């Protein structure tokens, strides 16, 4: 039987933040390992999950390989909660299939519209990183297709596994994974909200409470004595006995609204953000100390607004996310928040979270504090980002590549000596020509 | 009450699989018939895991009429809904000079699907219930220089379905003819298709689902195609023969 040629189509793509702006890329859509092998054989490609990384790690001008066609769930062991699935499976679909059976992802980012492959390649962290570690810790094995088209199953401790988890698609294509889920009695979360008047109070609240999940929303426009004030959300999976009679034990996701057209860029301007942040803070103060929230509104509040990234208009937005080691954290965070508040560039969203220890040779997390700031793309934004980079490096920090759209190669190397080892590994393994993204070229990885 | 099983002929087609997912999500057991069905093992596992329904695979080649008759005679229990998504676009230029290539396109789009639907119709008629869904194409609405071998075969299939519908209208059997325009599938991979006229396989599946639920006869996928084809059919042959569409 003749094999169809598997031709490239052209598609308009960008990262989630819209920086770089959307452009046409040649895109191929394999449906199985055989298709993929032929594409890998043609060289110079990058795998793309659901494009929820903010910048350019899932873009390649020669060929971007859309993984959604390799999106099958293969086997589930209800005894130990291990699912075998292809890398293109969407996290939200995994939840839809397995939550009704009492299982939830052991690690999840703040959106369920990501693929397993994207979660593995970025080694994502969730609100439970300080207790449970990241995506890496949930994986039993992964199948990776290398530059020669051969597939290897690799497990924790082996070099291929360690580099691939957190390797941003640059070590090969992740085909399948075996990962462990967490048993849950319900699809509900018990959330406690603490309003903290300044950065010290926020950090103290995150430090002292050993909740399974924790994160803080910071009012990025508060300055002076209020600097760093925010709401600390602590969460835990609700037990069956926590539910009132008649409550749906495993509620389904509600479909979100979407933001239909590109908004004009003033929508997320300073006055609006100020009002929004104040509103969130007030609501927090008024909120009951503890409440039950369904899994979707707890873990994925932004998913409910659909394409909220379009609120930033055509110029898009960037996210600054770094992690600072424990010791210098308070000084560093004060400086970062101060610089962003002073920069006249309101960050509409500022999120602070405590991370657990470093794991793996190139993954982002390390013990300390991670701050993420969303910044609308304006004339002064690149300069502000450079200032933030410098502050982070001065305080021993490093950057999250899943959020990056504009870091410089030199800055990466200065922030993270592991980048050199990653480059050397790519060189030794003959991976540099085979797997490349706009990001890997910019960062000279 | 358990739902009626859905048989998808051409179960490996992008459209056929999307239809299988759509019905599985509503709780229907699924049968996928395809050549070398072992290639569908992962899709079957996926359908079972996502939707918690029974899925079985059958080895079937649309070009083998004897085997088709036997396969359909052996269906037990008989599915409630049968969908035919078999098709082959082929290469028009090649078909103009290579008889075997042309015959393959004609047999794959007409003979195979028509015979299968015919055998299924007999069994559904005997039972007094059932739904037949044939995926034909707007290409069968008028022959064009670009793809008339494929188009003519689809026209044959469309006429066959129309005849079946007429025959079975009072026998409790619904016959749905689906006329997709462009659909983003393996069949048209790599072609630059106008985005506003191009549906996803999931849209086709949703259209099929709706058509079955509402007892419709002929459905286009994306309403604009109904208008486009109306206009194309109305153009006098005198003009049409000189046009490049
Ligand atoms: C609203 C929102 C909230 C978020 N919250 C968090 C959070 O809390 N924690 C966190 O860690 N991240 C978070 N992220 C970032 C997101 O989790 C990561 O960017 C993730 O990688 C996106 O997955 P994706 O499937 O969309 O991958 P893409 O964005 O398409 O790709 C990301 C990277 O993965 C690689 N990749 C994808 N599939 C494969 C594959 N099969 N094989 C090899 N490489 C592959 C790509 O090459 C690329 O380098 C958030 C993003 C958004 C938009
Ligand atoms: N895509 C479009 O733009 C479009 C537009 C209008 C109509 N359609 C129609 O939609 C239907 C589904 O096509 P698709 O778009 O989903 O493309 P597709 O993925 O290429 O599906 C066609 C399927 O037909 C199967 N097939 C071909 N010959 C067969 C044979 N002898 N026996 C058994 N199966 C055979 C193929 O099986 P293998 O996997 O074994 O090759 C393939 O799975 C077709 O009837 C097509 O004509 C498509």
């Amino acid at each position: 039987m003749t094999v169809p040629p598997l031709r490239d189509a052209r598609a308009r793509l960008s990262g989630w933040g819209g920086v770089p702006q959307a452009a046409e890329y040649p895109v191929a859509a394999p449906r199985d390992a055989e298709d993929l092998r032929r594409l890998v054989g043609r060289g110079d490609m990058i795998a793309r999950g659901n494009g929820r990384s903010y910048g350019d790690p899932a873009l390649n001008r020669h060929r971007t390989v859309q993984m959604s066609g390799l999106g099958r769930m293969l086997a589930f062991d209800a005894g130990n909660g291990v699912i075998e699935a292809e890398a293109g499976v969407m996290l939200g679909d995994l939840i839809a299939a397995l939550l009704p059976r009492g299982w939830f992802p052991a690690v999840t980012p703040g959106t369920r519209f990501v693929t397993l492959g994207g979660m593995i390649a970025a080694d994502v962290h969730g609100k439970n990183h300080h207790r449970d570690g990241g995506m890496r810790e949930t994986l039993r094995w992964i199948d990776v297709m290398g530059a020669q088209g051969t597939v290897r199953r690799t497990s924790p401790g082996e070099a291929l596994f360690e580099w691939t988890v957190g390797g941003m698609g640059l070590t090969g294509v992740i085909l399948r994974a075996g990962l462990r889920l967490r048993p849950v009695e319900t699809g509900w979360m018990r959330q406690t909200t603490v309003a903290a008047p300044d950065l010290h109070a926020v950090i103290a609240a995150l430090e002292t409470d050993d909740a399974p999940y924790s994160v803080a929303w910071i009012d990025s426009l508060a300055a002076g004595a209020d600097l760093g004030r925010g709401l600390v959300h602590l969460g835990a999976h609700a037990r069956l006995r926590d539910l009132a009679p008649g409550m749906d034990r495993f509620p389904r996701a509600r479909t979100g609204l979407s933001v239909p057209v590109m908004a004009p860029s003033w929508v997320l301007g300073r006055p609006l953000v100020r009002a929004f942040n104040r509103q969130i803070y007030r609501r927090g103060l008024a909120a009951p100390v503890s409440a039950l929230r369904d899994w979707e509104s707890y873990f994925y509040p932004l998913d409910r607004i659909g394409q909220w990234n379009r609120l930033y208009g055509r110029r898009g937005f960037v996210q600054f996310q770094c992690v600072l080691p424990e010791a210098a954290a308070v000084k560093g965070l004060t400086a970062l928040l101060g610089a962003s508040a002073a920069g006249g560039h309101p960050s509409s969203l500022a999120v602070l979270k405590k991370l657990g220890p470093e794991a793996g040779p190139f993954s982002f997390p390390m013990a300390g504090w991670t701050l993420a700031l969303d910044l609308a793309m304006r004339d002064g934004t690149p300069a502000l980002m450079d200032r933030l980079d410098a502050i982070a490096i001065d305080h021993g920090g490093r950057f999250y590549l899943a959020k990056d759209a504009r870091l410089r190669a030199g800055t990466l190397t200065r922030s993270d000596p592991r980048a050199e080892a990653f480059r050397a590994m790519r060189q030794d393994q003959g991976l540099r020509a085979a797997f490349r993204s706009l990001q890997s070229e910019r960062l000279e990885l | 009450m358990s739902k009626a099983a859905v048989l998808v002929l051409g179960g490996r087609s992008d459209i056929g699989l999307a239809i299988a997912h759509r019905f599985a999500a509503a709780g229907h057991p699924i049968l996928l018939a395809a050549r070398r069905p072992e290639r569908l093992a992962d899709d079957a596992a996926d359908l079972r895991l996502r939707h918690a329904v029974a899925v079985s695979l059958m080895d079937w080649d649309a070009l083998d009429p004897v085997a088709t008759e036997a396969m359909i005679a052996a269906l037990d229990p008989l599915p409630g809904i049968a969908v035919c998504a078999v098709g082959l676009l082929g290469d028009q230029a090649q078909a103009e000079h290579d008889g075997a290539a042309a015959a393959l396109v004609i047999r794959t789009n007409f003979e195979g699907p028509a015979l299968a639907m015919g055998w299924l119709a007999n069994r559904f008629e005997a039972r007094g219930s059932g739904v037949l869904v044939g995926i034909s194409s707007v290409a069968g609405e008028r022959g064009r220089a670009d793809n008339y071998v494929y188009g003519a075969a689809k026209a044959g299939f469309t006429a066959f379905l129309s005849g079946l519908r007429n025959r079975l209208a009072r026998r409790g059997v619904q016959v749905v003819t689906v006329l997709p325009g462009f659909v983003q599938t393996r069949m048209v991979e790599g072609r630059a298709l106008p985005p506003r006229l191009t549906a996803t396989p999931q849209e086709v599946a949703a259209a099929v689902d709706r058509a079955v639920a509402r007892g419709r006869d002929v459905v286009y996928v994306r309403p604009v195609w109904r208008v486009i084809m109306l206009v194309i059919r109305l153009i006098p042959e005198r003009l049409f023969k000189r046009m490049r569409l």
Side-chain angles (χ1 to χ4, degrees):
Chain A
M1 198 172 13
T2 56
V3 187
L6 199 77
R7 284 162 297 212
D8 291 338
R10 298 191 69 82
R12 272 188 89 69
L13 300 177
S14 71
W16 180 246
V19 177
Q21 290 193 348
E24 280 210 347
Y25 294 85
V27 174
R31 287 164 180 78
D32 53 33
E34 214 34 65
D35 286 355
L36 190 64
R37 185 168 294 119
R38 281 186 286 150
L39 293 167
V40 168
R42 293 178 201 169
D44 192 358
M45 55 151 284
I46 194 69
R48 180 178 175 90
N50 201 37
R52 249 47 176 192
S53 47
Y54 278 58
D56 53 1
L59 296 171
N60 176 316
R61 280 199 201 87
H62 179 254
R63 181 172 295 109
T64 300
V65 175
Q66 184 62 59
M67 295 296 291
S68 49
L70 281 126
R72 304 171 186 92
M73 299 181 204
L74 302 173
F76 180 65
D77 183 338
N80 58 11
V82 172
I83 176 113
E84 296 185 27
E86 290 181 327
V89 165
M90 199 84 88
L91 182 62
D93 289 347
L94 204 67
I95 297 172
L98 298 179
L99 181 58
R101 301 177 208 188
W103 298 90
F104 196 76
V107 166
T108 172
T111 169
R112 66 187 205 281
F113 299 121
V114 291
T115 65
L116 298 180
M119 293 171 71
I120 297 166
D123 192 3
V124 296
H125 54 272
K127 298 177 187 175
N128 57 343
H129 191 274
H130 59 293
R131 292 241 306 222
D132 302 332
M135 186 68 184
R136 171 183 304 271
E137 268 66 47
T138 73
L139 296 169
R140 292 290 175 93
W141 50 264
I142 52 179
D143 284 349
V144 183
M145 183 178 288
Q148 264 63 52
T150 43
V151 178
R152 261 190 57 196
R153 178 156 299 189
T154 178
S155 308
E158 295 170 4
L160 179 61
F161 179 94
E162 300 296 329
W163 285 116
T164 299
V165 181
M168 298 305 287
L170 300 172
T171 62
V173 184
I174 303 156
L175 268 181
R176 282 176 292 265
L179 66 139
R180 179 181 51 77
L181 284 86
R182 136 198 334 266
V184 292
E185 286 185 15
T186 75
W188 295 84
M189 300 296 294
R190 273 186 292 114
Q191 176 176 287
T192 307
T193 302
V194 181
D198 60 24
L199 185 61
H200 287 277
V202 167
I203 287 188
L206 287 169
E207 282 287 15
T208 48
D209 202 298
D210 194 33
Y213 297 91
S214 65
V215 69
W217 292 60
I218 306 282
D219 178 350
S220 58
L221 289 181
D226 292 338
L227 185 102
R229 77 169 176 194
L231 297 176
V232 178
H233 294 302
L234 307 167
H237 290 282
R239 307 289 302 270
L240 199 48
R241 60 165 187 263
D242 296 330
L243 303 194
M247 275 173 82
D248 189 356
R249 183 171 172 188
F250 295 114
R252 284 162 172 258
R254 286 162 282 182
T255 1
L257 308 151
S258 39
V259 179
V261 284
M262 288 285 182
S265 54
W266 50 262
V267 167
L268 284 178
R270 197 177 175 91
L272 196 90
V273 172
R274 189 184 292 281
F276 177 73
N277 279 344
R278 208 178 285 142
Q279 185 61 27
I280 288 190
Y281 189 70
R282 289 259 166 71
R283 259 219 322 253
L285 287 174
V289 176
S290 191
L292 277 185
R293 321 241 335 239
D294 66 83
W295 60 274
E296 186 190 10
S297 52
Y298 179 81
F299 285 104
Y300 313 112
L302 291 169
D303 286 355
R304 311 263 305 274
I305 333 177
Q307 307 272 316
W308 58 267
N309 53 340
R310 296 192 186 171
L311 279 172
Y312 285 90
R314 288 188 197 285
R315 293 186 71 182
F317 68 111
V318 283
Q319 186 174 92
F320 174 86
Q321 185 174 0
C322 69
V323 54
L324 302 181
E326 204 77 64
V330 176
K331 263 181 66 193
L333 293 170
T334 306
L336 290 169
L337 289 169
S340 98
H345 294 268
S347 165
S348 36
L349 218 58
V351 176
L352 182 68
K353 144 123 219 85
K354 187 174 160 65
L355 292 183
E358 171 172 309
F362 197 50
S363 288
F364 165 70
M366 66 171 157
W369 296 86
T370 179
L371 177 71
L373 303 169
D374 280 5
L375 298 165
M377 200 56 173
R378 306 273 159 76
D379 292 339
T381 307
L384 173 61
M385 294 288 277
D386 288 345
R387 282 201 296 284
L388 297 175
D389 287 353
I391 296 171
I393 292 182
D394 283 349
H395 294 85
R398 66 186 186 216
F399 308 100
Y400 191 15
L401 296 185
K403 305 293 179 67
D404 160 56
R406 32 67 55 195
L407 207 64
R408 283 182 249 273
T411 315
L412 174 67
T413 312
R414 255 179 293 130
S415 72
D416 191 350
R418 301 176 310 163
E420 278 308 339
F422 189 76
R423 288 187 183 111
M425 177 277 300
R426 295 244 301 150
Q427 187 69 42
D428 289 351
Q429 306 286 318
L431 297 168
R432 293 194 67 163
F435 305 110
R436 305 208 292 207
S437 61
L438 293 188
Q439 180 179 59
S440 78
E441 286 170 48
R442 178 166 47 76
L443 296 175
E444 294 163 20
L445 290 170
Chain B
M1 201 191 85
S2 64
K3 302 248 183 153
V6 176
L7 166 65
V8 181
L9 301 165
R12 193 166 164 272
S13 95
D14 286 342
I15 291 175
L17 266 179
I19 293 171
H21 274 278
R22 177 90 190 189
F23 280 102
H28 295 265
I30 302 294
L31 292 88
L32 301 174
R35 301 181 283 195
R36 296 200 288 137
E38 66 281 4
R39 295 177 298 166
L40 284 168
D42 288 350
D43 290 286
D46 185 42
L47 279 162
R48 288 185 198 109
L49 256 170
R50 282 177 195 254
H51 311 300
V53 295
V55 180
S56 38
L57 301 178
M58 283 180 298
D59 192 353
W60 173 67
D61 185 338
L63 298 176
D64 184 340
V66 178
T68 300
E69 183 179 359
M71 189 264 280
I72 288 166
L75 286 172
D76 182 28
L78 187 60
I81 300 170
V83 180
C84 181
V86 172
L88 174 67
L89 189 54
D91 178 338
Q92 169 68 26
Q94 187 192 4
E96 287 165 19
H97 303 286
D98 174 346
L104 185 65
V105 171
I106 293 167
R107 295 188 60 211
T108 305
N109 291 296
F110 179 41
E111 180 191 304
L115 290 180
M117 290 314 236
W119 293 121
L120 282 160
N122 293 351
R123 291 207 58 191
F124 284 6
E125 181 182 28
R127 182 179 60 188
S129 72
V131 183
L132 291 167
V133 180
I135 315 286
S136 190
S137 171
V138 296
E141 305 273 271
R142 193 157 194 181
R144 294 186 300 112
D146 266 3
N147 69 351
Y148 64 85
V149 178
Y150 172 80
K154 287 294 191 189
F157 187 43
T158 300
F160 189 94
L161 291 169
S162 148
L164 274 187
R165 180 160 44 242
N166 191 200
R167 173 186 140 198
L168 299 171
R170 275 182 260 253
R171 303 276 178 172
V173 180
Q174 182 194 354
V175 180
V176 184
T177 307
V178 184
L179 300 174
F182 301 127
V183 188
Q184 200 56 62
T185 70
R186 193 193 311 255
M187 183 174 273
V188 291
E189 190 149 62
R191 296 187 185 215
L193 300 174
R196 295 191 39 219
L197 300 182
T198 306
T200 61
Q202 289 71 32
E203 282 178 72
V204 182
V208 168
D209 188 7
R210 264 195 314 274
V212 171
R214 297 181 188 169
R216 301 279 303 275
D217 300 323
V218 180
V219 294
Y220 290 83
V221 183
R222 294 211 170 180
V224 49
W225 278 102
R226 181 181 293 279
V227 181
I228 295 174
M229 294 323 294
L230 178 69
V231 171
I232 289 183
R233 277 194 312 267
L234 286 175
I235 301 172
E237 194 67 18
R238 216 164 5 92
L239 300 177
F240 190 80
K241 70 179 180 192
R242 297 182 196 284
M243 293 172 68
R244 276 324 246 139
L245 277 173

